Structure formats: structure tokens, C-alpha cells
Amino acid sequence: MAAPPSAYKDRHFLAVIGDEDSVTGLLLAGIGHVTQPPDAQKNFLVVDAKTETSVIQQAFDRYTRDRKDIAILLINQHIAERIRHTVDTYTNAFPAVLEIPSKEHPYDPEKDSVLRRVRRLFGE
């Protein structure tokens, strides 16, 4: 059954949690957005080796639960591994969470939560 229009009508933006190259490329493609002050929230998080897992978790929660203007959340697959339990248990239709590869870490379909759900649906 399709989601009612109220579930997605105000969702206009992409969000990204990724490494510097992925986020930079997507920002250059035009996905960057900052909300109005006083909170001025960005729709992206650059993750490096020093970024704590709790910061990634907070960003994921903010984009999937708090921000009602996000339609799709893109997350590098190797970063999703750091919060795998949260990504795997996320079941809402909006925002859609899509795992993407990065330059340094190739895509592994066995780790993709969406692909695993599809395989379970078809009994594979």
C-alpha cells in the first residue's frame, strides 16, 4: 500500500552521511541545504577516521526522525557498518535510506540492508 501524501509532501531534500569525497561530490551536484536560523542545520555530515560513532548515530537519527524535509538519506556503506544495527532496523518509507559506495570502499551487496530485505521478501 502506498504511503499517504502527508507522509512525503514536504520532503524535498537529500541528506548525506559520507566521507569527504562523497559529500564534496554531492554538494557540488547541488544537494547542500542549511535550515533557517536559529538552529541552521546542515543536510550533510562529513565522516573521517576521527569521527565518533555517536556523532554518526546522532546525524542518522536527526535525518530520519527529526528532519521532516529529508526525502532520501545517502550513507556510505562503510560508514553504515559503524551503525549497522540502526540501519538494519530502520523500516520507515521516508526518508529512504540508501547505502552508496565510496572511492576507497567498494560496494558490497551482501551488506546492503535494502538488498537483504528484498532477498528475504523473495525467499532467497
Side-chain angles (χ1 to χ4, degrees), residues 54-111:
S54 63
V55 173
I56 299 167
Q57 181 70 50
Q58 290 169 357
F60 185 90
D61 291 341
R62 184 172 55 251
Y63 297 146
T64 57
R65 187 178 41 204
D66 302 336
R67 297 273 306 262
K68 302 302 181 194
D69 59 347
I70 303 294
I72 299 172
L73 171 59
L74 303 173
I75 183 169
N76 282 133
Q77 192 174 51
H78 73 281
I79 294 168
E81 281 299 312
R82 293 176 61 180
I83 57 168
R84 176 56 60 198
H85 176 72
T86 304
V87 173
D88 285 348
T89 57
Y90 180 77
T91 59
N92 294 345
F94 295 102
V97 175
L98 302 175
E99 296 179 33
I100 60 173
S102 69
K103 188 167 73 171
E104 303 291 324
H105 300 87
Y107 175 75
D108 183 358
E110 298 302 318
K111 294 179 181 177

